[in-house]
Amino acid sequence: MDLIKYFLEEIKNEGIISEKTIEFYKSDLNFFNDFLENPNLEKITQEELNKYLQYVKEKYSENSVIRKITSLKSFYKFLVKKDIISVSPIDKISTSRKDIKIQKSIKESQLKAIIDVCEDNKIENRDKIIIKLLALTGAKIIDILNINLLKLKENDFKYFPLKQRNIFVMVMIPEELSLEIKDYVEKYSLDQEFLFDGVNNQTFKVNFVKYVKRANLDENILPSMIKNKFIHDIKKIENETENNDIELFKKIKEQYMKIGIGDDIN
């Protein structure tokens, strides 16, 4: 029996669910069926289900993932109701945004492509530096936009203070980027309170999307994915180095040199 076809026909005959929702069900269930190596919807294993959920989380937005899980829940609830199976294999899978929350990260090649398309003018040099700070420090965009220029000059462009849980920490800036920031300030004779005066989160995001398009990349790439990459890389490095501080520094440096924006410290 074609269980998907049976399910769709039955809910259509009930006349409760809209045509649009039924089309979503059809698309999602066929996608799931095609994903399975040996499709047997009545005997789906937890391993197969987990593999599928991991795949859609990596490929789709939160809304799409929630919809795909909801489609499966409705389908398997129907099979239980019709005594085709006794227990739904997806009943315990949450559709809460808190549990589904996806933190996609940007690829090194994508990050380099975005940096490379920034042109040599004040606005795009500024945005390029912001992108590099996101990539190399792991700081939030709001903290980067609030970097005080006077304090940065006092620190010889080598670090900036960041408040975390009521404690101030100093965020180090790699040497090459530090020199680039200094050149940027001198080139445009900046004399203002903040390093990035005149730009806010929304303005930067709009510009970032423009660079993504110019680089012919996936339009779903967002600035938040840069910080996610930083976090992902740090966790990966920590696991590989077993908390060896010297090796950790070397590994972090190697990761950043791959995308051509690291420093030249030996």
Side-chain angles (χ1 to χ4, degrees):
M1 180 191 296
D2 186 333
L3 294 177
I4 294 177
K5 184 178 179 181
Y6 177 44
F7 166 67
L8 295 173
E9 288 176 347
E10 286 293 304
I11 60 173
K12 185 175 182 178
N13 290 335
E14 289 176 358
I16 300 174
I17 299 174
S18 70
E19 287 288 338
K20 186 175 181 179
T21 301
I22 292 175
E23 283 301 313
F24 280 142
Y25 283 162
K26 181 179 180 180
S27 174
D28 293 338
L29 294 173
N30 284 331
F31 180 82
F32 175 62
N33 193 53
D34 291 341
F35 175 85
L36 301 175
E37 294 179 7
N38 298 303
N40 188 337
L41 298 172
E42 298 167 77
K43 299 181 180 179
I44 184 76
T45 66
Q46 197 62 51
E47 182 181 356
E48 289 175 311
L49 190 55
N50 290 339
K51 187 184 294 186
Y52 172 74
L53 293 175
Q54 183 61 37
Y55 175 76
V56 295
K57 284 181 180 180
E58 291 175 356
K59 188 174 178 63
Y60 295 98
S61 66
E62 288 177 23
N63 286 342
S64 294
V65 173
I66 290 171
R67 197 195 77 194
K68 289 182 183 300
I69 293 175
T70 301
S71 295
L72 284 179
K73 281 180 172 288
S74 297
F75 173 67
Y76 279 107
K77 183 178 180 180
F78 170 81
L79 296 188
V80 171
K81 181 180 178 181
K82 295 295 183 178
D83 292 324
I84 295 173
I85 60 174
S86 57
V87 179
S88 168
I90 199 168
D91 244 8
K92 295 182 180 179
I93 303 296
S94 172
T95 52
S96 164
R97 289 191 179 277
K98 179 183 70 176
D99 299 323
I100 296 296
K101 191 167 181 62
I102 297 169
Q103 293 186 330
K104 292 185 178 181
S105 62
I106 194 170
K107 296 178 181 177
E108 291 169 2
S109 58
Q110 294 171 327
L111 182 56
K112 186 176 187 304
I114 292 169
I115 290 171
D116 287 346
V117 299
C118 291
E119 296 178 356
D120 186 17
N121 58 57
K122 184 177 180 180
I123 291 177
E124 299 201 11
N125 279 330
R126 176 202 69 195
D127 292 344
K128 180 165 62 174
I129 290 172
I130 294 174
I131 292 169
K132 291 182 179 183
L133 283 168
L134 284 169
L136 294 174
T137 67
K140 296 178 181 178
I141 182 65
I142 189 171
D143 294 320
I144 290 173
L145 295 181
N146 283 326
I147 292 176
N148 184 284
L149 180 54
L150 178 60
K151 290 182 180 178
L152 189 63
K153 287 180 178 179
E154 290 175 352
N155 298 330
D156 197 24
F157 298 91
K158 293 180 179 178
Y159 54 86
F160 61 91
L162 178 63
K163 191 173 183 180
Q164 293 182 336
R165 298 178 182 177
N166 296 320
I167 298 175
F168 279 98
V169 297
M170 292 299 172
V171 180
M172 302 303 297
I173 303 173
E175 184 176 352
E176 185 176 300
L177 179 54
S178 172
L179 293 173
E180 185 175 341
I181 296 172
K182 185 176 182 181
D183 288 344
Y184 166 74
V185 171
E186 292 175 352
K187 180 178 181 178
Y188 297 106
S189 303
L190 299 187
D191 183 20
Q192 53 202 36
E193 182 178 3
F194 299 104
L195 175 60
F196 302 114
D197 257 1
V199 59
N200 56 37
N201 193 358
Q202 185 58 33
T203 303
F204 172 71
K205 185 176 180 181
V206 169
N207 288 349
F208 185 84
V209 170
K210 179 178 66 177
Y211 305 140
V212 168
K213 290 181 179 179
R214 192 187 295 169
N216 296 316
L217 298 175
D218 184 346
E219 293 184 5
N220 291 321
I221 294 175
L222 299 173
S224 60
M225 294 169 67
I226 302 175
K227 179 177 172 60
N228 293 342
K229 181 184 184 305
F230 179 90
I231 295 170
H232 178 269
D233 286 348
I234 293 299
K235 288 181 179 178
K236 181 180 178 182
I237 292 166
E238 286 176 341
N239 291 335
E240 290 177 353
T241 59
E242 297 180 343
N243 296 322
N244 184 307
D245 290 340
I246 296 176
E247 286 300 312
L248 178 58
F249 175 81
K250 289 180 179 178
K251 289 286 186 178
I252 292 174
K253 181 181 173 184
E254 288 172 7
Q255 288 293 320
Y256 295 145
M257 290 301 289
K258 285 181 183 178
I259 57 175
I261 58 175
D263 59 61
D264 296 322
I265 299 174
N266 294 318

